[in-house]
């Protein structure tokens, strides 16, 4: 099965599981609505698909337990988006064409929704009955992972000291975006009981995917920004963000993206679904 067919098969299953279980398992009146609003706001469902594609590549069947683990990863990703959008962070009014959580409801409700989705996601991952998987995810979103990356993002924004600092920009993106992507694959490797050789290949793929995805996402933003009338400046550049794209420019970023895609695909060339996931990122080259 190629990635397109895999995505078409499993994305509706992910959507249905999230919709049913967030609404049914949150028993505080109206709070399930606040939480589900952001969870069901759309998106690529990339991280749960990475987990499912990894275990599929290792020959495991996908059932309700596997879906629960995958959707737990998505709950944690959604928590990060809700908090990123808050006025104290990126201060965004819209995400994916609809009001962000704090604009739809209020800031306190949005903070609490994120606070609730994080442990709920870890709880769903614990359906694996594998403490190592919970540990991997906790590390990926902690101070040396996603939270640390978000701190670096805030610290370096509009800070001339870091304006041309490629090393810090790469570290920020590796933590803020890459860690959760890598964890999604690592959870699949652990759950699928991958051999040492398989695990090494999968993690090489994941590391390259994580770095590539952030560059890809920023390049997509450039395309969308320049397509809008009167806008010729990338949003991150206008806001004083310091990331790989704003430091190196579009052409060099595309070159790095191509290298990352090639390296990631070479590592898992025997797993067509994973190879196809990296093919998604070539549309900005």
């Amino acid at each position: 099965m190629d990635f397109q067919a895999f995505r078409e098969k499993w994305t509706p299953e992910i959507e249905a599981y999230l919709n049913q279980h967030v609404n049914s398992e949150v028993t505080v009146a109206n709070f399930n609505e606040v939480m589900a609003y952001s969870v069901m706001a759309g998106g690529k469902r990339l991280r749960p698909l990475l987990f499912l594609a990894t275990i599929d590549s290792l020959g495991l069947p996908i059932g309700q337990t596997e879906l629960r683990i995958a959707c737990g990863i998505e709950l944690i990703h959604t928590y990060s988006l809700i908090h990123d959008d808050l006025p104290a962070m990126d201060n965004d009014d819209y995400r994916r064409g609809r009001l962000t959580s704090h604009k739809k409801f209020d800031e306190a409700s949005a903070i609490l929704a994120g606070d609730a989705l994080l442990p709920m996601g870890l709880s769903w991952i614990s359906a694996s009955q594998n403490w190592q998987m919970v540990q991997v995810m906790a590390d990926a979103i902690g101070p040396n992972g996603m939270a640390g990356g978000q701190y670096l993002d805030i610290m370096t924004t509009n800070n001339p000291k870091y304006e041309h600092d490629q090393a810090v920009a790469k570290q920020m993106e590796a933590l803020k975006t890459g860690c959760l992507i890598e964890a999604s694959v690592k959870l699949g490797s652990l759950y699928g009981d991958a051999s040492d050789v398989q695990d090494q290949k999968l993690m090489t793929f994941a590391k390259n995917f994580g770095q590539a995805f952030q560059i890809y996402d920023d390049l997509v933003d450039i395309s969308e920004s320049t397509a809008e009338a009167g806008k010729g400046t990338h949003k991150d550049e206008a806001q004083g963000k310091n990331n790989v794209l704003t430091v190196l420019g579009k052409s060099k970023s595309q070159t790095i993206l191509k290298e990352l895609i090639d390296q990631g695909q070479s590592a898992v060339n025997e797993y067509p679904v994973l190879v196809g996931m990296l093919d998604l990122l070539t549309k900005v080259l």
Side-chain angles (χ1 to χ4, degrees):
M1 183 183 296
D2 63 16
F3 174 65
Q4 183 62 28
F6 187 86
R7 179 171 60 176
E8 289 176 359
K9 178 178 181 179
W10 290 110
T11 300
E13 297 287 339
I14 291 168
E15 297 288 342
Y17 194 97
L18 288 167
N19 188 45
Q20 177 185 344
H21 288 272
V22 171
N23 280 295
S24 66
E25 294 183 25
V26 178
T27 59
V28 176
N30 301 322
F31 196 31
N32 60 344
E33 177 188 349
V34 180
M35 293 170 65
Y37 175 78
S38 295
V39 172
M40 301 310 299
K44 304 176 184 69
R45 307 305 189 194
L46 176 67
R47 291 149 191 85
L49 284 171
L50 274 168
F51 171 76
L52 294 179
T54 300
I55 63 173
D56 178 77
S57 297
L58 293 170
L60 269 70
I62 298 172
Q64 289 299 295
T65 298
E66 292 73 27
L67 274 172
R68 188 170 183 83
I69 297 166
C71 289
I73 299 170
E74 187 68 8
L75 295 186
I76 292 169
H77 175 54
T78 304
Y79 128 76
S80 74
L81 300 182
I82 293 173
H83 282 196
D84 280 357
D85 289 336
L86 290 169
M89 304 284 267
D90 287 347
N91 194 25
D92 283 324
D93 293 344
Y94 290 90
R95 180 176 288 276
R96 298 172 183 145
R98 64 191 306 196
L99 288 171
T100 50
S101 181
H102 67 276
K103 285 294 182 179
K104 173 68 174 178
F105 302 99
D106 56 75
E107 193 170 346
S109 295
I111 291 170
L112 289 169
D115 288 346
L117 286 168
L118 172 53
M120 190 174 186
L122 289 172
S123 176
W124 285 14
I125 291 169
S126 73
S128 64
Q129 298 185 357
N130 184 329
W131 70 266
Q132 285 183 288
M133 291 173 63
V134 178
Q135 183 70 58
V136 165
M137 181 54 70
D139 288 343
I141 59 182
N144 297 316
M146 190 169 63
Q150 183 64 50
Y151 173 79
L152 285 175
D153 188 18
I154 293 170
M155 182 184 71
T156 58
T157 296
N158 288 314
N159 189 335
K161 178 181 177 182
Y162 298 100
E163 188 173 353
H164 302 293
D165 196 326
Q166 183 180 350
V168 172
K170 288 181 69 175
Q171 182 189 20
M172 181 272 289
E173 293 185 346
L175 298 178
K176 182 180 177 181
T177 301
C179 278
L180 187 54
I181 286 175
E182 289 179 43
S184 301
V185 177
K186 185 63 176 180
L187 263 59
S189 178
L190 286 167
Y191 192 78
D193 197 23
S195 68
D196 289 345
V197 171
Q198 288 173 321
D199 181 72
Q200 184 176 12
K201 290 180 178 180
L202 288 168
M203 297 318 298
T204 298
F205 158 81
K207 193 171 191 66
N208 281 277
F209 194 109
Q211 294 176 30
F213 182 78
Q214 184 61 63
I215 297 172
Y216 160 82
D217 208 36
D218 289 337
L219 287 167
V220 169
D221 283 346
I222 277 189
S223 300
E224 292 175 350
S225 295
T226 55
E228 295 179 25
K231 290 188 178 180
T233 304
H234 180 225
K235 181 180 72 172
D236 284 352
E237 184 179 356
Q239 292 178 347
K241 297 278 188 181
N242 292 299
N243 55 37
V244 170
L245 179 57
T246 60
V247 170
L248 296 181
K250 181 178 178 180
S251 179
K252 288 184 179 179
S253 295
Q254 287 176 313
T255 299
I256 293 172
L257 175 59
K258 177 67 165 59
E259 292 171 354
L260 291 168
I261 290 171
D262 289 346
Q263 291 166 13
Q265 290 182 326
S266 294
V268 291
N269 54 20
E270 70 265 46
Y271 303 138
V273 174
L274 296 177
V275 170
M277 293 188 81
L278 273 167
D279 277 336
L280 287 177
L281 311 186
T282 61
K283 73 178 185 180
V284 294
L285 296 177

